[in-house]
Amino acid sequence: MGPAELHLRQVLVAMAGPAAQPRADQTAAVAALVEQRARVLVVQATGWGKSAVYWAATSALRAEGKGPTLIVSPLLALMRDQVSAARRAGLNAATVNSTNLEDWDAVFDDIAGNRLDALLVS
């Protein structure tokens, strides 16, 4: 089992419980991101597990000493849920958007200090 699949399995267990199994396309997407440093476009229905892909890739890349992941989404309503999901996956994430202007300086300080694993922007 490569690092991509290992991190995907760990993230899935943390997010969905010990019975969670990775989908073949999830494993392929994480491997492409982590092992091949490829650009990946994942288009799937809600609930398929897209966030597990970017949390697993983030986890694997951070374990290698790489910088934080930037996630851009037009869906402001999902940002809080995604930050919570990142925490369940063992990652430190924050968001900057039009509703939390007062938090931006602290978030940017955390990015500069390498204390965030992921930054979600909406």
Side-chain angles (χ1 to χ4, degrees):
M1 181 181 321
E5 187 173 357
L6 175 67
H7 283 270
L8 179 57
R9 287 182 183 276
Q10 290 172 341
V11 164
L12 286 171
V13 166
M15 292 177 70
Q21 293 294 314
R23 300 173 191 272
D25 290 343
Q26 286 175 311
T27 302
V30 175
L33 289 164
V34 173
E35 296 164 9
Q36 301 160 15
R37 301 296 198 267
R39 293 180 182 178
V40 175
L41 174 64
V42 177
V43 179
Q44 291 289 345
T46 299
W48 179 85
K50 295 177 293 292
S51 61
V53 170
Y54 51 79
W55 296 140
T58 298
S59 176
L61 292 169
R62 292 296 277 171
E64 292 179 4
K66 305 297 182 195
T69 297
L70 175 64
I71 300 160
V72 180
S73 173
L75 303 173
L76 184 60
L78 294 178
M79 291 295 105
R80 283 182 294 280
D81 292 340
Q82 290 299 316
V83 169
S84 295
R87 289 194 180 116
R88 284 193 311 276
L91 300 166
N92 188 20
T95 185
V96 292
N97 59 64
S98 61
T99 67
N100 72 341
L101 296 170
E102 66 283 351
D103 298 335
W104 285 21
D105 287 340
V107 170
F108 294 141
D109 286 345
D110 285 344
I111 285 286
N114 200 31
R115 292 181 294 272
L116 283 182
D117 299 310
L119 175 63
L120 295 99
V121 179
S122 182

